Amino acid sequence: MIPIIPVSDTRPLAGEITLTGLRNPPPLSLYIHIPWCVRKCPYCDFNSHESRNPIPETAYVDALIADLEQATPNIWGRKVRSIFFGGGTPSLFSAEAIDRILSNVRALVQLEYDAEITLEANPGTFEAERFAGFKTAGVNRLSLGIQSFNEKHLKSLGRIHDAKEARNAAKHAIDIFGNVNLDLMYGLPEQTMEEALNDIQTAIDLGPTHISAYHLTLEPNTPFYHKPPVLPDDDSSAEMQESIENLLGKHGYEHYETSAFAKHGKRCRHNLNYWLFGDYLGIGAGAHSKLSFHDHIMRQSRTKQPNAYMKGTVDNTHIDSERILEKEDFGFEFMMNALRLTEGFDITQFSATTGKSLISIEAALRKAEQKGLISRTPTHIAPTLLGQRFLNELLQLFMD
């Protein structure tokens, strides 16, 4: 295995041949996974676990801190630009626990002064005092998993909140944080166009800075996959998507990524770093990392089962897998994320984050351009509307 070299030691010596060609590492984010939820939704394939017993909050926070301490040699000297608490349902944790985590993050890593700090929350866990405590702890952006404001669809999705709780949580979250994302889904079981647009309009009327509108997909190893509900057909779903995009655009939401819409200046910095092949350190049960060094790019994953993860952080056995990316994969890895951005990317970002010249993927770029899936200038590459609609076909060109 190639040794893991701290970033502070990774400047190439004169004449040294490097594998990546990177002179400086890309921007760095921190992801923190909280794996517990009240009830597992039938469509969810994330690493989440129903909290049938009291959550071992203190022990898990201890494990997160130990995990971060053991990981810091891989990010010495680098500033963290964003933090994201994902799950599961991070809002199940107390404000004191979130405060303790963030206090230790500030002590162990260099955090940019205006870092974006997002916490995912479930409307069914809303408590005004606790959410205000999250803000006091340093959380400055909330992502609320609404999914739908329709009672029938909330039940079919297995959500623990009802429509009234969804509206109430969204309203108070916006009052407390200001900077709030509302997660919604469309293409739901037996959903009509009118119902899909009503959900989006309700969200718009509440006034969040960001709306995520995802198409429901049937992921392997989920109850919905093994026993599929009746979903709108492909044509109906495509019409929903187009109508949703038009409605959000009319109300000043910029469509900047496949499923993401933001008011001006409120795009999610954390997710943008993912989409532009930035680095991220993931801590917590099942969390993933992607870290760049002068001689390699590494991907890691943590042990998924919470108890095993907590035990593993004691004896440093919590890393489930680790692999070094092959140079030949850099182009696809970059494009897999960057082509989700509707405005595309500046070509300098490709070499800055992969260390490779764009010429390495020229053949695939030409094919994509010939098929009408991308547009490009000497300085910029972007998916066309056709490329956005047939993103998997576009990405396949770079995989080949």
Side-chain angles (χ1 to χ4, degrees), residues 45 77 94 100 115 126 133 151 175 195 224 229 240 244 274 291 307-308 313 346 361 363 395:
D45 70 336
S94 66
R100 184 176 166 223
F126 173 75
E151 211 71 71
D175 288 343
E195 289 170 336
F224 269 11
M240 283 183 189
I244 287 169
Y274 287 151
L291 297 171
N307 288 331
T313 58
D346 188 297
I361 56 169
L395 295 177

Side-chain angles (χ1 to χ4, degrees), residues 76-250:
W76 283 130
R78 300 179 64 179
K79 286 189 175 181
V80 172
R81 70 184 309 180
S82 64
I83 300 173
F84 196 101
F85 288 89
T89 305
S91 55
L92 286 173
F93 270 35
S94 66
E96 291 75 17
I98 300 301
D99 180 60
R100 184 176 166 223
I101 293 168
L102 289 175
S103 294
N104 278 273
V105 168
R106 296 185 188 99
L108 291 167
V109 305
Q110 296 184 52
L111 191 61
E112 290 186 1
Y113 79 96
D114 63 343
E116 176 189 87
I117 303 176
T118 302
L119 183 137
E120 286 186 335
N122 188 311
T125 65
F126 173 75
E127 294 173 7
E129 184 177 351
R130 180 156 42 136
F131 276 44
F134 294 150
K135 183 177 181 180
T136 300
V139 175
N140 53 31
R141 182 176 184 271
L142 200 77
S143 183
L144 201 57
I146 300 290
Q147 313 315 352
S148 177
F149 291 100
N150 183 298
E151 211 71 71
K152 175 183 68 175
H153 294 134
L154 287 172
K155 289 179 180 178
S156 72
L157 293 173
R159 303 298 288 170
I160 64 170
H161 62 274
D162 59 28
K164 182 179 179 180
E165 287 174 321
R167 291 184 179 87
N168 182 59
K171 181 180 181 301
H172 282 88
I174 291 168
D175 288 343
I176 294 169
F177 290 91
N179 193 12
V180 171
N181 168 62
L182 299 183
D183 266 351
L184 294 167
M185 301 175 76
Y186 65 93
L188 305 179
E190 301 181 3
Q191 187 181 42
T192 66
M193 173 72 80
E194 182 181 5
E195 289 170 336
L197 292 179
N198 281 343
D199 274 348
I200 300 298
Q201 188 62 58
T202 300
I204 291 169
D205 292 343
L206 287 163
T209 54
H210 194 286
I211 292 175
S212 298
Y214 300 97
H215 187 287
L216 173 63
T217 55
L218 304 183
E219 301 290 352
N221 302 316
T222 64
F224 269 11
Y225 183 83
H226 295 293
K227 191 176 181 180
V230 178
L231 303 179
D233 61 34
D234 290 345
D235 288 341
S236 298
S237 292
E239 289 176 9
M240 283 183 189
Q241 180 180 350
E242 185 173 350
S243 297
I244 287 169
E245 291 170 0
N246 290 335
L247 179 59
L248 286 164
K250 288 177 182 177

